[in-house]
Amino acid sequence: MGFLLCNWVDGFEDLNVTEHQFLDGYAFSTPPLMVGLTLIAGAASTGAVCLDGTLPGYHLHRGYGSGANSWLIHLEGGGWCNTIRTCVFQQKTHHGSSTHMEKLIPFTGILSNRAEENPDFYNWNRVKIRYCDGASFSGDSQNEAKKLYFRGQRIWLAAMKDLMSKGMHYANQALLSGCSAGGLAATLHCDEFRELFPRTTRVKCLSDAGLFLDVIDVSGGRALRHMFGGVVRLQQVGKMLPQACTSRLDPTLCFFPQHLIPLTKTPLFLLNAAYDSWQVTPILNSFNSVTNLIR
């Protein structure tokens, strides 16, 4: 269930959405809503840039009727980069540069504007924030030699500021969601999201396929801990993580949802497939598989 929903929302990112065969290949009864990319013009002034220094962005479709003052924010997923080499590669893709991002993407699943497909949120203000930092919207550092900018936390703040100025401040209810690496980001930022609104606003969070576990793999090692440790150290994520966690645990452990969820005060819903192929592979095949998956 989680795998399907996650892919339905984020699974079209590598396709050229201007091509008619895109729509034909997925046999939609009617073409999905296509929503344009908005770059956050003021982001550069705060250093809130993608891995390659380009502006971050999002896709927004306005709500109406009973959903006019309701907001759904969806954080895009797309893995992580945990070394200079993998981040240099990622900055040349749509997960590291707005230059390579699709200018139009389909809004389907939880972002759909069709009541029969998305009865709870079809007429809300629906936003998909593009992922281009490689650390689940949480890093804050840079590498001058390779001109890499690890500014996930600043991108998060810039996007929230921009959306608040476009009416989200007046929301009477808001949901922060995310898929995969974006699902982890939804957990990381859940309480921050709550603090943006008055106490009278109903705020909840949804992590879809974002429950990454710190477990021993078949080789006796901890593949995901090794990989997450690289992300946390390279992008200086530790200083962005909840102090309630980092004061008693290593910052790498505080990047795992299992240590964040007990500290989260805002209602948080978890949706995960019992057999998540991404997680099963590294657990069974150890660190080499994780390295291959994030290339």
Side-chain angles (χ1 to χ4, degrees):
M1 175 71 174
F3 177 78
L4 291 174
L5 177 56
C6 190
N7 279 327
W8 195 241
V9 174
D10 285 335
F12 302 117
E13 295 157 5
D14 294 318
L15 300 175
N16 181 349
V17 296
T18 64
E19 296 178 354
H20 292 293
Q21 57 264 40
F22 161 76
L23 299 180
D24 296 338
Y26 286 88
F28 292 107
S29 57
T30 57
L33 173 70
M34 305 300 288
V35 181
L37 175 66
T38 297
L39 296 179
I40 305 172
S45 65
T46 62
V49 293
C50 298
L51 284 170
D52 71 338
T54 55
L55 290 174
Y58 58 78
H59 303 258
L60 163 65
H61 190 254
R62 291 285 187 177
Y64 63 91
S66 61
N69 290 320
S70 299
W71 287 74
L72 187 155
I73 308 300
H74 184 81
L75 301 175
E76 181 183 27
W80 307 267
C81 61
N82 65 330
T83 66
I84 294 297
R85 182 177 63 84
T86 56
C87 290
V88 167
F89 172 81
Q90 191 158 319
Q91 74 175 165
K92 300 172 184 176
T93 74
H94 61 285
H95 287 317
S97 170
S98 58
T99 300
H100 300 290
M101 290 178 185
E102 303 82 356
K103 301 304 182 283
L104 286 171
I105 63 169
F107 266 27
T108 57
I110 199 172
L111 296 175
S112 172
N113 66 329
R114 299 175 59 191
E116 62 273 26
E117 179 182 336
N118 186 26
D120 295 305
F121 308 111
Y122 73 96
N123 66 344
W124 285 33
N125 296 279
R126 301 172 321 287
V127 184
K128 181 172 181 175
I129 301 179
R130 301 304 297 268
Y131 178 44
C132 65
D133 66 276
S136 289
F137 296 89
S138 63
D140 191 10
S141 64
Q142 65 186 71
N143 181 281
E144 293 286 354
K146 296 295 185 180
K147 291 183 169 54
L148 284 167
Y149 301 91
F150 307 122
R151 301 290 177 75
Q153 178 70 20
R154 300 191 198 190
I155 291 172
W156 158 261
L157 293 173
M160 292 301 102
K161 180 179 179 181
D162 201 59
L163 292 170
M164 293 296 270
S165 73
K166 293 185 176 180
M168 192 169 73
H169 178 74
Y170 301 104
N172 50 40
Q173 55 184 345
L175 175 68
L176 176 66
S177 69
C179 174
S180 190
L184 171 57
T187 301
L188 287 167
H189 292 294
C190 185
D191 283 341
E192 287 182 64
F193 188 65
R194 161 72 271 182
E195 292 303 313
L196 293 173
F197 301 95
R199 303 314 298 177
T200 53
T201 305
R202 296 178 63 202
V203 179
K204 297 180 181 180
C205 305
L206 165 65
S207 174
D208 178 11
L211 185 61
F212 300 97
L213 299 175
D214 179 26
V215 295
I216 298 174
D217 57 50
V218 293
S219 69
R222 290 182 180 270
L224 285 178
R225 184 187 292 187
H226 182 88
M227 192 264 284
F228 275 3
V231 175
V232 169
R233 289 187 295 272
L234 178 65
Q235 302 211 30
Q236 296 184 25
V237 173
K239 60 187 178 183
M240 301 294 113
L241 296 171
Q243 190 174 7
C245 183
T246 56
S247 62
R248 59 186 182 85
L249 294 175
D250 183 274
T252 297
L253 296 182
C254 295
F255 199 61
F256 282 94
Q258 66 204 70
H259 301 297
L260 295 171
I261 291 168
L263 302 174
T264 304
K265 300 175 183 178
T266 308
L268 171 63
F269 298 92
L270 304 175
L271 176 61
N272 245 68
Y275 299 97
D276 184 324
S277 61
W278 195 94
Q279 296 201 56
V280 169
T281 300
I283 289 171
L284 290 179
N285 295 329
S286 190
F287 178 65
N288 288 333
S289 296
V290 179
T291 305
N292 291 331
L293 282 165
I294 64 176
R295 282 176 183 167

